[in-house]
Amino acid sequence: MVSRRVAEVLLAVARRRWPRELRADLGREWAAELRVLAERGQRVRMLRFAASLAARRSGVAADRAPIARRLLRTALPLLLAPSVCVGVVLVSLVTMSAVAEWLSRRFVWAFDLQLPIATVLTLCGAVGLAALAQRLARGAPAGGWRVPLGIVVPVALTVAAAGYAVLDDVDALARVAPGLTLWLAGLALVLRATTRLAGRGRVRLAWCVGVLGAIVVADLATIVAVLSQVPTGTGTVVDGVPDGVDPTFAPLWLLACYTDSALGLPGPTEQEIFLITDAVLLEPLLYLAWAPYALAWAIRAARGRPEPVADHVLPEPVIRPS
């Protein structure tokens, strides 16, 4: 019977809105009500009964919260966070310029600290945003790809808006797009892995996998971005600077973008670092600003917060079998 099948689907929707420990008992009670109504041939009352359960609030404290308040604590922070991270990077660059100029009056090597200063300032701002994200993510909806997409999609929209506003050249957009696309896709996969681990209670492992995955994804994205904008090989030299980079040391390019040096390693050379940082100055700093808050939000949301049994309000039976 079609009406009973529809009623069963509605009851399944209603069960999923309740905590796991209550679903079995509620499901048996509702199924008994449905069976009585079906035996009596009361199809309209049966559908009304199932629809009322599917439409009503579950009685969980988080579900009773006003919709506007829930949106304010979840959707709005996720939409604003990418733009705030961009602001953190811009403030770091402005502060870096002022500090480097002040130090240059006393030390000739001050300008060598520009990128390290920007990296440290961006990291400090990112850690602060991550701490705030952990607080805001309490009670946020989680499950499946909801959290990764809820984080990555606003970032992608921010990237698209910033690229459209800053880069009016189609060729420039084409050169930047591969690295950013790879980073967004990789970040979504990393967040999905961390939410699965955090949802199982393995929070430390989730953080380890998340941090390591974010570094690997940022490194790969930087490699793609550099190869998209700088030719490989060092055959031609213009004004003492090679016109290409050696891909042998490609895994170290992200480190060079953060430190402006190879830290004593064989490569990349100073000339190659100049080409690398000239081509991808902002992207590595944006990765550093975006990743910490994304990991903090995803892991905290996946952990959830179980509600005590006292907070559950069981529904009263709508119809009692005679």
Side-chain angles (χ1 to χ4, degrees), residues 44-322:
V44 175
R45 296 189 65 186
M46 180 176 60
L47 291 173
R48 187 170 57 192
F49 166 70
S52 65
L53 290 174
R56 70 182 300 174
R57 295 178 179 177
S58 67
V60 181
D63 193 45
R64 294 197 301 267
I67 294 178
R69 183 179 177 184
R70 294 174 64 188
L71 289 176
L72 185 64
R73 294 196 57 183
T74 55
L76 187 60
L78 288 178
L79 289 174
L80 294 180
S83 299
V84 175
C85 291
V86 173
V88 168
V89 172
L90 295 179
V91 171
S92 299
L93 291 175
V94 172
T95 306
M96 169 207 73
S97 179
V99 172
E101 183 177 358
W102 180 77
L103 289 176
S104 64
R105 300 171 186 171
R106 295 171 173 79
F107 309 101
V108 294
W109 41 262
F111 285 105
D112 295 334
L113 297 178
Q114 290 184 99
L115 284 182
I117 291 174
T119 299
V120 171
L121 292 176
T122 301
L123 181 59
C124 291
V127 171
L129 291 177
L132 180 61
Q134 277 198 315
R135 299 189 61 181
L136 294 177
R138 294 177 182 176
W145 283 92
R146 186 182 304 176
V147 172
L149 293 180
I151 294 173
V152 172
V153 170
V155 175
L157 294 176
T158 303
V159 169
Y164 181 79
V166 176
L167 301 175
D168 55 355
D169 185 3
V170 177
D171 294 334
L173 288 173
R175 290 192 298 268
V176 172
L180 290 172
T181 303
L182 174 62
W183 181 78
L184 289 169
L187 180 64
L189 293 175
V190 170
L191 294 177
R192 180 67 181 117
T194 56
T195 53
R196 288 176 64 90
L197 291 172
R200 298 172 184 172
R202 309 179 71 176
V203 179
R204 291 185 179 179
L205 181 59
W207 272 109
C208 293
V209 171
V211 172
L212 181 60
I215 293 174
V216 172
V217 169
D219 195 27
L220 293 175
T222 302
I223 293 173
V224 172
V226 173
L227 293 179
S228 300
Q229 303 180 63
V230 182
T232 58
T234 56
T236 305
V237 178
V238 180
D239 295 332
V241 179
D243 66 341
V245 293
D246 184 1
T248 304
F249 301 101
L252 301 177
W253 291 347
L254 179 65
L255 179 65
C257 291
Y258 289 142
T259 63
D260 199 21
S261 73
L263 298 180
L265 299 173
T269 64
E270 292 185 5
Q271 292 80 7
E272 290 175 332
I273 292 175
F274 173 80
L275 293 175
I276 293 168
T277 55
D278 183 63
V280 290
L281 174 62
L282 290 179
E283 289 94 321
L285 293 177
L286 290 173
Y287 301 155
L288 184 61
W290 279 326
Y293 100 85
L295 290 173
W297 184 286
I299 292 175
R300 187 64 185 87
R303 287 172 57 190
R305 183 173 58 182
E307 299 289 342
V309 177
D311 287 340
H312 301 310
V313 180
L314 296 177
E316 297 180 359
V318 178
I319 300 175
R320 299 182 181 276
S322 57

